Amino acid sequence: SDGSFGYLVPALHARMARISLDNFSSLDVFDLSANDKSLTGFSAGFSHGDFGYLVPDFRRSTVGKVTRFPLCNPAGIGTLDLEPTGEDLKGYRFLGGFSDGAFAYMLPFAHFYTYSDRSYFGRVVRFSLTDFRTVGVLDLTETDEDLRGFNGGFSDGTYGYLVPWLKAKVARFRFDNFSTVDSLDLQLTDSTVAGGFILGFWQDAFGYLLP
């Protein structure tokens, strides 16, 4: 939501829907692939300032492009092609994303060779909201091999947190240096917890993981 409209992110196609929050009846549909046929299949979206951003599901696309659109005119689409950065992201699926005001972050889930043959990974990708060009990657598995296969995340303004799906470890990283990584092993508190969380949120001094 941007405060006036809610946006429905297309997962299997390229048609994004926008719903008025004022009357809950006005509906607009925008074809993201009208000028670029590769813009199809997204896993999440968020807004910052005057723009909306869509997190691409690269297992459904042959290219690695982040989509940005002006909230005042969703048809005015811009893209950030990640391939020229040297980061091979074809087949990688990111679930969820957020921003810290300066950068946007895409959260790692799995690499799909085929639907049944997949390997989970831990590479957080960030890109600049200022120039919509600068790209960086933080590999969480270099700190802890278990930090991979996440399903969404949230921010408290200082850290980004990743919700565990594959394992039972919550990961967090600092925004200011994009290198400091910590992990919280949930099984040290409850040995029956085995991951499998879907999304999460932050409120006051606590983070919440949704089963």
Side-chain angles (χ1 to χ4, degrees), residues 115-137:
Y115 187 80
S116 60
D117 181 12
R118 58 189 177 186
S119 62
Y120 295 90
F121 73 109
R123 298 163 70 196
V124 178
V125 173
R126 79 172 186 179
F127 58 88
S128 171
L129 296 173
T130 302
D131 63 19
F132 197 47
R133 183 176 64 248
T134 304
V135 176
V137 175

Side-chain angles (χ1 to χ4, degrees), residues 55 77 115 144 147 151 162-163:
V55 177
I77 295 170
Y115 187 80
D144 185 332
L147 299 183
N151 196 345
L162 288 85
V163 176

